[in-house]
Amino acid sequence: MSSSITRVVGREVLDSRGRPTVEAEVHVASGVVGRAIAPSGASTGAAEALELRDGDANRYGGLGVLQAVENVNGLINAALCGVDATDQKNVDGQMLQLDGTEQKRNLGGNAMIAVSQATARAGAATQGIPLYQHLHHVIVEQTVELGYSTELFPAPRIPLPQTNMISGGLHAGGNLDFQDVLITPVGAADYATCLEWIVRVYKCLGQLLISRGFEGFLVGDEGGYGPKLTNNRDAVAIVAQAIEEAGLIPGEQVAMTLDVAATHFYRDGMYHLQAAGGRVLTSAEMIDMLEDWVEAFPIISIEDGLAEEDWEGWQQLNSRLGDRIMIVGDDLFTTNAKRVKKGIECGAANSVLVKVNQIGTISETIETMAVARRAGMKLIVSARSGETEDDTLADFATAAAGDQIKIGSIVRSERLAKYNQLLRLAETVPRFANDDRSS
Ligand code: PGA
Ligand code: ZN
């Protein structure tokens, strides 16, 4: 068969932080090759698929991925030769069987996601169709196999970007506890307008920061500014001001979102904030603070407002704010269908952040998305803080008719690879998430 896999090749390449990561190539009999690179997180959830790293302190400070690469060239290559590259479920299933662990401890989640995505690319290329179209077929096919309605994944749709303006937490060197303050152009009529508005706000924010004596040019891992503001609320307030100074209407044209990434400052059942002189808050006090901000600023979504183990707190947060804004689980869910099901049962959130490398294969990601959508949850397809020129994410989010996409900021080419691919896709994909925002 012309779409049979003939060879799987792995290699070690570098990501946007200068750390090694896994690149995979899937060669098929027709002669085409699909290639993809695994992304990598910094604020990782405890339940995520394991990133297999060599631990050899003499190479890249222990972060080398030669063992994971060896797994691609050896075990994975042997298992996948002869398998149909257009049968994504089978390819992912073979790897899952070979690995045999919940957290991909044997093959490495980094090896598996690189091969899984490279397979999707090879599958598309061998059929001569765009990647988003092939991925859409794969998503619909797997949704049917799960026994769910295909209406969960209607025609491909360009998602609405959520774009990082100020970075804190583990992604930047400033004082801020919160990881991202973001904007989202909810009133833009089309995707191209989103980008123009986002850049306008980003530039205004840089000027505002400089005029107040802060760094308006040094950026964090995802390209957001990393100013040494002393207070988390100030970061939110200055972004709100930048929207106005850009001549855009806050809330109506451009809204705000937050990724608190609260797990990294949660210890012994309390939230330890460093900014503003250091404060220790209970879960209830964190919720009060977030509610106060939602009242004061045009915030339409809060991600990881509480820690990944604080399920009770999440229930409270969702019951207080879930009817007004998106309550998004990232570390809470780690793109894991079991964890999303638990979240649905206890009413912990109304939206899911989707990161393919948190779970390790495209097929498992599809299951998680189907479980979430069936419960009426919104999907935000997301990049990682460690990214590369690989732009598979743009096609994947479009194929899944994602509600939003979160790629980081609007500078740095590992981010722009995805934003620009969405511009190309928007030429042929007529639907855009804002068309359906009222629904
Ligand atoms: P990460 O950050 O890739 O470092 O996990 C992104 C996020 O938290 O959404
Ligand atoms: Zn997050």
Side-chain angles (χ1 to χ4, degrees):
M1 198 190 334
S2 65
S3 54
S4 292
I5 295 174
T6 52
R7 199 154 69 100
V8 184
V9 180
R11 71 174 61 85
E12 187 181 67
V13 296
L14 296 182
D15 74 10
S16 55
R17 282 190 279 244
R19 293 183 187 168
T21 186
V22 181
E23 175 170 279
E25 281 176 8
V26 170
H27 297 239
V28 301
S30 64
V32 305
V33 180
R35 191 170 74 197
I37 311 178
S40 171
S43 65
T44 48
E48 286 195 23
L50 175 88
E51 255 181 4
L52 191 59
R53 300 226 176 243
D54 300 333
D56 171 0
N58 295 320
R59 267 191 96 250
Y60 292 112
L63 296 176
V65 292
L66 296 179
Q67 182 56 53
V69 165
E70 181 50 41
N71 290 344
V72 175
N73 289 324
L75 292 168
I76 295 177
N77 175 53
L80 295 186
C81 277
V83 175
D84 182 355
T86 63
D87 190 349
Q88 187 74 36
K89 183 88 185 290
N90 189 20
V91 167
D92 290 340
Q94 298 279 345
M95 287 196 286
L96 287 170
Q97 207 177 355
L98 193 59
D99 177 78
T101 68
E102 187 93 354
Q103 280 185 286
K104 285 77 188 178
R105 294 188 171 276
N106 289 327
L107 296 177
N110 42 358
M112 290 171 68
I113 196 60
V115 174
S116 187
Q117 296 195 100
T119 300
R121 287 194 165 275
T126 199
Q127 295 172 84
I129 59 174
L131 180 58
Y132 80 90
Q133 265 180 24
H134 172 55
L135 282 168
H136 184 69
H137 297 154
V138 169
I139 289 169
V140 168
E141 208 172 81
Q142 292 191 20
T143 305
V144 171
E145 278 174 37
L146 287 165
Y148 296 171
S149 162
T150 54
E151 283 171 23
L152 295 181
F153 296 101
R157 177 174 74 173
I158 304 291
L160 174 66
Q162 240 194 56
T163 304
N164 185 322
M165 294 284 117
I166 290 187
S167 294
L170 299 178
H171 290 173
N175 310 315
L176 300 172
D177 303 288
F178 286 26
Q179 184 173 284
D180 307 322
V181 181
L182 311 97
I183 61 165
T184 184
V186 288
D190 53 46
Y191 175 73
T193 304
C194 287
L195 295 195
E196 199 275 321
W197 286 4
I198 291 166
V199 170
R200 227 198 282 174
V201 176
Y202 185 84
K203 296 287 173 204
C204 279
L205 177 60
Q207 288 307 316
L208 255 178
L209 287 166
I210 291 166
S211 72
R212 296 211 195 154
F214 296 105
E215 302 84 355
F217 36 84
L218 296 177
V219 300
D221 285 353
E222 297 189 354
Y225 298 113
K228 287 200 163 56
L229 294 165
T230 52
N231 191 314
N232 296 309
R233 200 179 202 273
D234 288 349
V236 181
I238 199 165
V239 172
Q241 192 183 340
I243 297 172
E244 284 189 56
E245 297 216 350
L248 294 159
I249 306 166
E252 205 172 297
Q253 290 179 305
V254 177
M256 298 178 65
T257 73
L258 298 177
D259 182 2
V260 180
T263 302
H264 81 95
F265 56 84
Y266 183 68
R267 286 187 303 281
D268 309 322
M270 302 291 279
Y271 293 87
H272 297 255
L273 299 176
Q274 308 251 318
R279 281 160 73 204
V280 180
L281 303 185
T282 62
S283 202
E285 288 167 335
M286 277 289 288
I287 297 169
D288 286 343
M289 182 176 73
L290 294 172
E291 184 167 35
D292 170 51
W293 293 8
V294 169
E295 309 274 323
F297 303 106
I299 294 171
I300 61 154
S301 171
I302 298 178
E303 176 184 335
D304 283 355
L306 296 171
E308 65 195 2
E309 310 105 276
D310 189 6
W311 288 92
E312 273 177 33
W314 275 91
Q315 283 171 270
Q316 296 295 325
L317 176 65
N318 195 36
S319 70
R320 280 266 283 281
L321 295 177
D323 55 350
R324 276 191 275 168
I325 64 166
M326 291 161 73
I327 300 295
V328 186
D330 170 14
D331 291 352
L332 180 74
F333 293 138
T334 58
T335 315
N336 184 315
K338 283 190 200 145
R339 291 181 71 90
V340 171
K341 281 180 189 158
K342 178 175 171 180
I344 292 165
E345 273 160 31
C346 69
N350 61 23
S351 306
V352 178
L353 202 82
V354 176
K355 291 168 166 169
V356 289
N357 78 322
Q358 276 182 328
I359 189 70
T361 61
I362 286 186
S363 299
E364 290 166 291
T365 308
I366 292 169
E367 184 184 352
T368 302
M369 294 194 302
V371 166
R373 272 258 164 94
R374 200 168 65 138
M377 294 170 108
K378 295 252 191 278
L379 301 176
I380 303 103
V381 179
S382 174
R384 300 307 303 247
S385 49
E387 274 292 336
T388 67
E389 65 274 25
D390 187 306
D391 61 5
T392 309
L393 192 81
D395 284 71
F396 184 71
T398 301
D403 299 285
Q404 300 194 348
I405 188 164
K406 185 170 172 247
I407 311 174
S409 202
I410 198 69
V411 295
R412 300 292 176 267
S413 287
E414 77 279 7
R415 313 287 147 191
L416 271 305
K418 285 79 159 169
Y419 283 113
N420 288 341
Q421 173 65 0
L422 287 169
L423 278 173
R424 290 176 207 114
L425 295 182
E427 291 173 1
T428 44
V429 175
R431 285 181 73 220
F432 169 49
N434 276 356
D435 303 340
D436 308 319
R437 269 191 59 79
S438 51
S439 66

